[in-house]
Coordinates of all heavy atoms in Angstrom, one line a residue:
M275 N 87.7 112.7 -113.4 CA 89.0 112.5 -113.7 C 89.1 111.3 -114.7 O 88.4 110.3 -114.6 CB 89.8 112.1 -112.4 CG 91.2 111.9 -112.6 SD 92.0 111.7 -111.0 CE 93.7 111.6 -111.5
T276 N 90.0 111.4 -115.6 CA 90.2 110.4 -116.6 C 91.5 109.7 -116.4 O 92.5 110.3 -116.0 CB 90.1 110.9 -118.0 OG1 91.2 111.8 -118.2 CG2 88.8 111.5 -118.3
S277 N 91.6 108.4 -116.8 CA 92.9 107.7 -116.7 C 93.7 108.1 -118.0 O 93.2 108.7 -118.9 CB 92.7 106.2 -116.6 OG 92.2 105.7 -117.8
S278 N 94.9 107.6 -118.1 CA 95.8 107.9 -119.2 C 95.2 107.4 -120.5 O 95.5 107.8 -121.6 CB 97.2 107.5 -119.0 OG 97.2 106.1 -118.9
S279 N 94.4 106.3 -120.4 CA 93.8 105.7 -121.7 C 92.4 106.2 -121.9 O 91.8 105.7 -122.8 CB 93.9 104.2 -121.6 OG 93.1 103.8 -120.5
E280 N 91.9 107.1 -121.1 CA 90.5 107.7 -121.4 C 90.6 109.1 -121.9 O 91.6 109.8 -121.6 CB 89.7 107.6 -120.1 CG 89.4 106.2 -119.6 CD 88.6 106.2 -118.3 OE1 88.6 107.2 -117.5 OE2 87.9 105.2 -118.1
F281 N 89.7 109.4 -122.7 CA 89.7 110.7 -123.3 C 88.3 111.4 -123.2 O 87.3 110.7 -123.1 CB 90.0 110.6 -124.8 CG 91.2 109.8 -125.1 CD1 91.2 108.4 -125.3 CD2 92.5 110.4 -125.1 CE1 92.3 107.7 -125.5 CE2 93.6 109.7 -125.3 CZ 93.5 108.3 -125.6
I282 N 88.3 112.7 -123.2 CA 87.1 113.5 -123.3 C 86.6 113.6 -124.7 O 87.4 114.0 -125.6 CB 87.3 114.9 -122.7 CG1 87.8 114.7 -121.2 CG2 86.0 115.7 -122.7 CD1 86.8 114.0 -120.3
L283 N 85.4 113.3 -125.0 CA 84.9 113.2 -126.4 C 85.1 114.5 -127.2 O 85.5 114.5 -128.3 CB 83.4 112.8 -126.4 CG 82.8 112.7 -127.8 CD1 83.4 111.6 -128.6 CD2 81.3 112.4 -127.6
S284 N 84.9 115.6 -126.5 CA 85.1 116.9 -127.2 C 86.5 117.2 -127.6 O 86.7 118.1 -128.5 CB 84.5 118.1 -126.3 OG 85.3 118.1 -125.1
D285 N 87.5 116.5 -127.1 CA 88.9 116.7 -127.4 C 89.4 115.8 -128.5 O 90.6 116.0 -128.9 CB 89.8 116.5 -126.2 CG 89.5 117.4 -125.0 OD1 88.9 118.5 -125.3 OD2 89.8 117.1 -123.9
L286 N 88.6 115.0 -129.1 CA 89.1 113.9 -130.0 C 89.0 114.4 -131.4 O 88.1 115.1 -131.8 CB 88.3 112.7 -129.8 CG 88.4 112.1 -128.4 CD1 87.5 110.9 -128.3 CD2 89.8 111.7 -128.1
P287 N 89.9 113.9 -132.3 CA 90.0 114.3 -133.7 C 89.0 113.5 -134.5 O 88.5 112.5 -134.1 CB 91.4 114.0 -134.1 CG 91.8 112.8 -133.2 CD 91.1 113.1 -131.9
D288 N 88.7 114.0 -135.7 CA 87.9 113.3 -136.7 C 88.5 111.9 -136.9 O 89.7 111.7 -137.0 CB 87.9 114.0 -138.1 CG 87.3 115.4 -138.0 OD1 86.8 115.8 -137.0 OD2 87.4 116.1 -139.1
G289 N 87.6 110.9 -137.0 CA 88.0 109.6 -137.3 C 88.3 108.7 -136.1 O 88.5 107.5 -136.1
F290 N 88.4 109.4 -134.9 CA 88.7 108.6 -133.7 C 87.6 107.7 -133.4 O 86.4 108.0 -133.4 CB 88.9 109.6 -132.5 CG 89.4 108.9 -131.2 CD1 90.7 108.7 -131.0 CD2 88.5 108.3 -130.3 CE1 91.2 108.1 -129.8 CE2 88.9 107.7 -129.2 CZ 90.2 107.6 -128.9
C291 N 87.9 106.4 -133.1 CA 86.9 105.4 -132.7 C 87.1 105.1 -131.2 O 88.2 104.8 -130.8 CB 87.1 104.1 -133.5 SG 86.0 102.8 -133.1
G292 N 86.0 105.3 -130.5 CA 86.1 105.1 -129.0 C 84.9 104.3 -128.5 O 83.9 104.0 -129.3
V293 N 85.0 103.9 -127.3 CA 83.9 103.2 -126.6 C 83.6 104.1 -125.4 O 84.4 104.5 -124.6 CB 84.3 101.8 -126.2 CG1 83.2 101.1 -125.4 CG2 84.7 101.0 -127.4
V294 N 82.3 104.3 -125.2 CA 81.8 105.2 -124.1 C 82.1 104.5 -122.8 O 81.8 103.4 -122.6 CB 80.3 105.5 -124.2 CG1 79.8 106.3 -123.0 CG2 80.0 106.2 -125.5
A295 N 82.9 105.2 -121.9 CA 83.2 104.7 -120.6 C 82.2 105.2 -119.6 O 81.7 104.4 -118.8 CB 84.6 105.2 -120.2
R296 N 81.8 106.4 -119.7 CA 80.8 107.0 -118.8 C 80.4 108.4 -119.3 O 81.0 109.0 -120.0 CB 81.3 107.1 -117.4 CG 82.4 108.0 -117.1 CD 83.0 108.0 -115.7 NE 84.3 108.5 -115.7 CZ 85.4 107.9 -116.0 NH1 85.4 106.7 -116.3 NH2 86.6 108.5 -116.0
V297 N 79.2 108.7 -118.8 CA 78.6 110.1 -119.1 C 78.4 110.7 -117.7 O 77.7 110.1 -116.9 CB 77.3 109.9 -119.9 CG1 76.6 111.3 -120.0 CG2 77.5 109.2 -121.2
T298 N 78.9 111.9 -117.6 CA 78.7 112.6 -116.3 C 77.7 113.7 -116.6 O 77.2 113.9 -117.7 CB 80.0 113.2 -115.8 OG1 80.6 114.0 -116.8 CG2 81.0 112.1 -115.4
G299 N 77.3 114.4 -115.5 CA 76.3 115.5 -115.7 C 75.1 115.2 -115.0 O 75.0 114.1 -114.3
G300 N 74.1 116.0 -115.1 CA 72.9 115.8 -114.4 C 72.0 114.7 -115.0 O 72.3 114.1 -116.0
R301 N 71.0 114.3 -114.2 CA 70.2 113.2 -114.6 C 69.5 113.4 -115.9 O 69.4 112.5 -116.7 CB 69.2 112.9 -113.5 CG 68.4 111.6 -113.7 CD 67.5 111.3 -112.5 NE 66.6 112.4 -112.3 CZ 65.7 112.4 -111.3 NH1 65.7 111.4 -110.4 NH2 64.9 113.4 -111.1
D302 N 69.0 114.6 -116.1 CA 68.2 114.9 -117.3 C 69.2 114.8 -118.6 O 68.8 114.3 -119.6 CB 67.6 116.3 -117.3 CG 66.5 116.4 -116.3 OD1 65.9 115.3 -115.9 OD2 66.1 117.5 -115.9
L303 N 70.3 115.4 -118.4 CA 71.3 115.3 -119.6 C 71.7 113.9 -119.8 O 71.8 113.4 -121.0 CB 72.5 116.2 -119.3 CG 73.5 116.2 -120.4 CD1 72.9 116.6 -121.8 CD2 74.7 117.0 -120.1
A304 N 72.0 113.2 -118.8 CA 72.4 111.8 -118.9 C 71.3 110.9 -119.6 O 71.6 110.1 -120.5 CB 72.8 111.1 -117.6
A305 N 70.1 111.2 -119.2 CA 68.9 110.5 -119.8 C 68.8 110.9 -121.3 O 68.5 110.1 -122.2 CB 67.6 110.9 -119.1
R306 N 69.0 112.2 -121.6 CA 68.9 112.6 -123.0 C 70.0 112.0 -123.9 O 69.8 111.5 -125.0 CB 69.1 114.2 -123.1 CG 68.9 114.7 -124.5 CD 68.8 116.2 -124.5 NE 68.5 116.7 -125.8 CZ 69.4 117.2 -126.6 NH1 70.6 117.3 -126.2 NH2 69.1 117.6 -127.9
L307 N 71.2 111.9 -123.4 CA 72.3 111.3 -124.1 C 72.1 109.8 -124.2 O 72.4 109.2 -125.2 CB 73.7 111.6 -123.4 CG 74.1 113.1 -123.4 CD1 75.4 113.3 -122.7 CD2 74.2 113.6 -124.8
A308 N 71.6 109.2 -123.2 CA 71.2 107.8 -123.3 C 70.2 107.5 -124.3 O 70.3 106.5 -125.1 CB 70.8 107.2 -121.9
A309 N 69.2 108.4 -124.5 CA 68.2 108.3 -125.5 C 68.8 108.4 -126.9 O 68.3 107.8 -127.9 CB 67.1 109.3 -125.3
M310 N 69.9 109.1 -127.0 CA 70.6 109.2 -128.3 C 71.6 108.0 -128.5 O 72.3 108.0 -129.5 CB 71.5 110.5 -128.3 CG 70.6 111.8 -128.2 SD 71.5 113.3 -127.9 CE 72.3 113.5 -129.5
G311 N 71.6 107.1 -127.6 CA 72.5 105.9 -127.7 C 73.8 106.0 -127.0 O 74.6 105.0 -127.1
L312 N 74.1 107.1 -126.3 CA 75.3 107.2 -125.6 C 75.3 106.6 -124.2 O 75.0 107.2 -123.2 CB 75.7 108.7 -125.5 CG 76.2 109.3 -126.8 CD1 76.3 110.8 -126.6 CD2 77.5 108.7 -127.2
T313 N 75.5 105.3 -124.2 CA 75.5 104.5 -123.0 C 76.9 103.8 -122.8 O 77.6 103.6 -123.9 CB 74.4 103.5 -122.9 OG1 74.5 102.6 -124.0 CG2 73.0 104.2 -122.9
A314 N 77.2 103.5 -121.6 CA 78.5 102.8 -121.4 C 78.6 101.6 -122.3 O 77.7 100.8 -122.4 CB 78.7 102.5 -119.9
G315 N 79.8 101.5 -122.9 CA 80.1 100.3 -123.7 C 79.7 100.4 -125.2 O 80.0 99.6 -126.0
T316 N 79.1 101.6 -125.5 CA 78.7 101.8 -126.9 C 79.9 102.4 -127.7 O 80.6 103.3 -127.3 CB 77.5 102.8 -127.0 OG1 76.5 102.2 -126.2 CG2 77.1 103.0 -128.4
E317 N 80.1 101.9 -128.9 CA 81.1 102.4 -129.8 C 80.7 103.7 -130.4 O 79.5 103.9 -130.8 CB 81.4 101.4 -130.9 CG 82.6 101.9 -131.8 CD 82.9 100.8 -132.9 OE1 83.3 99.7 -132.4 OE2 82.8 101.1 -134.1
I318 N 81.6 104.7 -130.5 CA 81.3 106.0 -131.1 C 82.5 106.4 -131.9 O 83.6 106.2 -131.6 CB 81.0 107.1 -129.9 CG1 80.7 108.4 -130.6 CG2 82.2 107.2 -129.0 CD1 80.1 109.4 -129.5
V319 N 82.2 107.0 -133.1 CA 83.2 107.4 -134.0 C 83.0 108.9 -134.3 O 81.9 109.4 -134.6 CB 83.1 106.7 -135.4 CG1 84.1 107.2 -136.4 CG2 83.3 105.2 -135.2
V320 N 84.1 109.7 -134.1 CA 84.0 111.1 -134.3 C 84.0 111.4 -135.8 O 84.9 111.0 -136.5 CB 85.2 111.9 -133.6 CG1 85.1 113.3 -134.0 CG2 85.2 111.6 -132.2
L321 N 82.9 112.0 -136.3 CA 82.9 112.3 -137.8 C 83.4 113.7 -138.1 O 84.0 113.9 -139.1 CB 81.4 112.2 -138.2 CG 80.8 110.8 -138.1 CD1 79.3 110.8 -138.5 CD2 81.6 109.7 -138.9
Q322 N 83.1 114.6 -137.2 CA 83.6 116.0 -137.5 C 83.8 116.7 -136.1 O 82.8 116.8 -135.3 CB 82.6 116.7 -138.3 CG 83.0 118.1 -138.7 CD 82.0 118.8 -139.5 OE1 80.9 119.2 -139.0 NE2 82.3 119.0 -140.8
N323 N 84.9 117.2 -135.9 CA 85.2 118.0 -134.7 C 86.1 119.1 -135.1 O 87.3 118.9 -135.3 CB 85.8 117.2 -133.6 CG 86.0 117.9 -132.3 OD1 85.6 119.1 -132.2 ND2 86.6 117.3 -131.3
R324 N 85.6 120.3 -135.3 CA 86.4 121.5 -135.7 C 87.1 122.2 -134.5 O 87.8 123.1 -134.7 CB 85.4 122.5 -136.4 CG 84.9 121.9 -137.7 CD 84.0 122.9 -138.3 NE 83.4 122.3 -139.6 CZ 82.4 122.8 -140.2 NH1 81.8 123.9 -139.8 NH2 82.0 122.3 -141.3
G325 N 86.8 121.7 -133.3 CA 87.4 122.3 -132.2 C 86.6 123.5 -131.6 O 87.0 124.1 -130.6
F326 N 85.5 123.8 -132.2 CA 84.5 124.8 -131.7 C 83.2 124.4 -132.2 O 83.0 123.7 -133.2 CB 84.9 126.2 -132.2 CG 84.9 126.4 -133.6 CD1 83.8 126.7 -134.3 CD2 86.1 126.1 -134.3 CE1 83.8 126.9 -135.7 CE2 86.1 126.2 -135.7 CZ 85.0 126.6 -136.4
G327 N 82.1 124.8 -131.5 CA 80.8 124.5 -131.9 C 80.4 123.1 -131.8 O 81.2 122.3 -131.2
P328 N 79.3 122.7 -132.3 CA 78.9 121.3 -132.2 C 79.8 120.3 -133.0 O 80.5 120.7 -133.9 CB 77.4 121.3 -132.8 CG 77.3 122.5 -133.6 CD 78.3 123.5 -133.1
M329 N 79.7 119.1 -132.6 CA 80.5 118.0 -133.3 C 79.6 117.0 -133.7 O 78.5 116.8 -133.2 CB 81.6 117.5 -132.4 CG 81.1 116.8 -131.1 SD 82.5 116.2 -130.1 CE 83.3 115.1 -131.1
L330 N 80.0 116.2 -134.8 CA 79.2 115.1 -135.3 C 79.9 113.8 -134.9 O 81.1 113.7 -135.0 CB 79.1 115.2 -136.8 CG 78.3 116.5 -137.4 CD1 78.4 116.5 -138.9 CD2 76.9 116.5 -136.9
A331 N 79.0 112.8 -134.6 CA 79.6 111.5 -134.3 C 78.6 110.5 -134.8 O 77.4 110.7 -135.1 CB 79.7 111.4 -132.8
R332 N 79.1 109.2 -135.0 CA 78.3 108.1 -135.3 C 78.1 107.2 -134.1 O 79.2 106.7 -133.6 CB 78.8 107.4 -136.5 CG 77.9 106.3 -137.0 CD 78.3 105.5 -138.3 NE 79.6 104.8 -137.9 CZ 80.7 104.9 -138.6 NH1 80.8 105.6 -139.7 NH2 81.8 104.2 -138.2
V333 N 76.9 106.9 -133.7 CA 76.6 106.0 -132.6 C 75.5 105.0 -133.1 O 74.5 105.5 -133.6 CB 76.1 106.8 -131.4 CG1 75.7 105.9 -130.3 CG2 77.1 107.8 -131.0
R334 N 75.8 103.8 -133.0 CA 74.8 102.7 -133.4 C 74.3 103.0 -134.8 O 73.1 103.0 -135.0 CB 73.7 102.7 -132.4 CG 74.1 102.4 -130.9 CD 73.0 102.5 -130.0 NE 73.4 102.5 -128.6 CZ 73.3 101.6 -127.7 NH1 72.7 100.4 -128.1 NH2 73.7 101.7 -126.5
D335 N 75.2 103.3 -135.7 CA 74.8 103.5 -137.1 C 74.0 104.7 -137.3 O 73.2 104.8 -138.3 CB 74.2 102.3 -137.8 CG 75.2 101.1 -137.9 OD1 76.4 101.4 -138.1 OD2 74.8 100.0 -137.8
T336 N 74.0 105.7 -136.4 CA 73.2 106.9 -136.5 C 74.1 108.1 -136.3 O 75.0 108.1 -135.4 CB 72.1 106.9 -135.5 OG1 71.2 105.8 -135.7 CG2 71.2 108.2 -135.6
R337 N 74.0 109.1 -137.2 CA 74.8 110.3 -137.0 C 74.1 111.2 -136.0 O 72.8 111.4 -136.1 CB 74.9 111.1 -138.3 CG 75.7 110.3 -139.3 CD 75.7 111.0 -140.6 NE 76.5 112.3 -140.4 CZ 76.9 113.0 -141.4 NH1 76.7 112.7 -142.6 NH2 77.6 114.1 -141.2
I338 N 74.8 111.7 -135.0 CA 74.3 112.6 -134.0 C 75.1 113.9 -133.9 O 76.3 113.8 -134.3 CB 74.1 112.0 -132.6 CG1 75.5 111.6 -132.1 CG2 73.2 110.7 -132.6 CD1 75.5 111.1 -130.6
A339 N 74.5 115.0 -133.6 CA 75.2 116.2 -133.3 C 75.2 116.4 -131.8 O 74.1 116.3 -131.2 CB 74.6 117.3 -134.1
L340 N 76.3 116.8 -131.3 CA 76.4 117.0 -129.8 C 77.0 118.4 -129.6 O 78.0 118.8 -130.3 CB 77.4 116.1 -129.2 CG 76.9 114.6 -129.0 CD1 78.1 113.8 -128.6 CD2 75.8 114.6 -128.0
G341 N 76.4 119.2 -128.7 CA 77.0 120.4 -128.3 C 78.3 120.2 -127.7 O 78.6 119.1 -127.1
R342 N 79.2 121.1 -127.8 CA 80.6 120.9 -127.2 C 80.5 120.7 -125.7 O 81.2 119.8 -125.2 CB 81.4 122.2 -127.5 CG 82.9 122.1 -127.0 CD 83.8 122.8 -127.9 NE 83.6 122.4 -129.3 CZ 84.3 121.4 -129.8 NH1 85.1 120.6 -129.1 NH2 84.1 121.0 -131.1
S343 N 79.6 121.4 -125.0 CA 79.5 121.1 -123.5 C 79.0 119.7 -123.2 O 79.5 119.1 -122.3 CB 78.7 122.2 -122.9 OG 77.4 122.2 -123.4
Q344 N 78.1 119.2 -124.1 CA 77.6 117.9 -123.9 C 78.7 116.9 -124.1 O 78.9 115.9 -123.4 CB 76.4 117.6 -124.8 CG 75.2 118.4 -124.5 CD 74.1 118.2 -125.6 OE1 74.5 118.0 -126.8 NE2 72.9 118.3 -125.2
A345 N 79.4 117.1 -125.2 CA 80.5 116.2 -125.6 C 81.6 116.2 -124.5 O 82.3 115.2 -124.3 CB 81.1 116.5 -126.9
G346 N 81.7 117.3 -123.8 CA 82.7 117.4 -122.8 C 82.4 116.5 -121.5 O 83.2 116.4 -120.6
L347 N 81.2 116.0 -121.5 CA 80.8 115.2 -120.3 C 80.8 113.7 -120.6 O 80.5 112.9 -119.8 CB 79.3 115.6 -119.9 CG 79.1 117.1 -119.5 CD1 77.7 117.4 -119.3 CD2 79.9 117.3 -118.2
V348 N 81.3 113.4 -121.8 CA 81.4 112.0 -122.2 C 82.8 111.6 -122.2 O 83.7 112.1 -122.9 CB 80.7 111.8 -123.6 CG1 80.9 110.3 -124.0 CG2 79.3 112.2 -123.7
T349 N 83.1 110.5 -121.5 CA 84.5 110.0 -121.4 C 84.5 108.7 -122.2 O 83.6 107.8 -122.1 CB 84.9 109.7 -119.9 OG1 84.7 110.9 -119.2 CG2 86.3 109.2 -119.8
V350 N 85.5 108.5 -123.0 CA 85.6 107.4 -123.9 C 87.1 106.8 -123.8 O 88.0 107.5 -123.3 CB 85.3 107.6 -125.3 CG1 83.9 108.2 -125.5 CG2 86.4 108.6 -125.9
Y351 N 87.2 105.5 -124.1 CA 88.5 105.0 -124.3 C 88.6 104.5 -125.8 O 87.6 104.3 -126.4 CB 88.8 103.9 -123.3 CG 87.9 102.7 -123.2 CD1 88.0 101.6 -124.0 CD2 86.8 102.8 -122.3 CE1 87.0 100.6 -124.0 CE2 85.9 101.7 -122.2 CZ 86.0 100.7 -123.1 OH 85.1 99.6 -123.0
E352 N 89.8 104.3 -126.3 CA 90.0 104.0 -127.7 C 89.4 102.6 -128.0 O 89.6 101.7 -127.1 CB 91.5 104.0 -128.0 CG 91.7 103.9 -129.5 CD 93.2 104.2 -129.8 OE1 94.0 104.4 -128.9 OE2 93.5 104.4 -131.0
C353 N 88.9 102.4 -129.1 CA 88.3 101.1 -129.5 C 89.5 100.1 -129.5 O 90.6 100.4 -130.0 CB 87.8 101.2 -131.0 SG 86.3 102.0 -131.2
P354 N 89.2 98.9 -129.0 CA 90.2 97.9 -129.0 C 90.8 97.6 -130.4 O 92.0 97.3 -130.5 CB 89.5 96.7 -128.4 CG 88.4 97.2 -127.6 CD 88.0 98.5 -128.4
S355 N 89.9 97.6 -131.4 CA 90.4 97.3 -132.7 C 91.2 98.4 -133.3 O 92.0 98.1 -134.2 CB 89.2 97.0 -133.6 OG 88.4 98.1 -133.7
A356 N 91.1 99.6 -132.8 CA 91.9 100.7 -133.4 C 93.4 100.6 -133.1 O 94.2 101.1 -133.8 CB 91.4 102.0 -132.8
S357 N 93.8 100.0 -131.9 CA 95.2 99.9 -131.6 C 95.8 98.6 -132.0 O 97.0 98.4 -131.9 CB 95.3 100.1 -130.0 OG 94.6 99.1 -129.4
A358 N 95.0 97.7 -132.5 CA 95.5 96.4 -133.0 C 96.2 96.5 -134.3 O 96.0 97.3 -135.1 CB 94.5 95.3 -132.9

């Protein structure tokens, strides 16, 4: 469940800047996403999200591709600087 200020990564538009709140899913998937830099507190920017298929994001100055189901397990909140 997400709060009103939290979003599911796979639902976000291009250019959205977020901070990873949590990653759900199994231990293996969580470890894989952590190895890609997706850990709580990490900034992530959506580079391309067409609404189907994989999406591209920038994490720790690295471009990564995420499957839609993987991105659906990542909860983020908006970057503090984005709303200022």
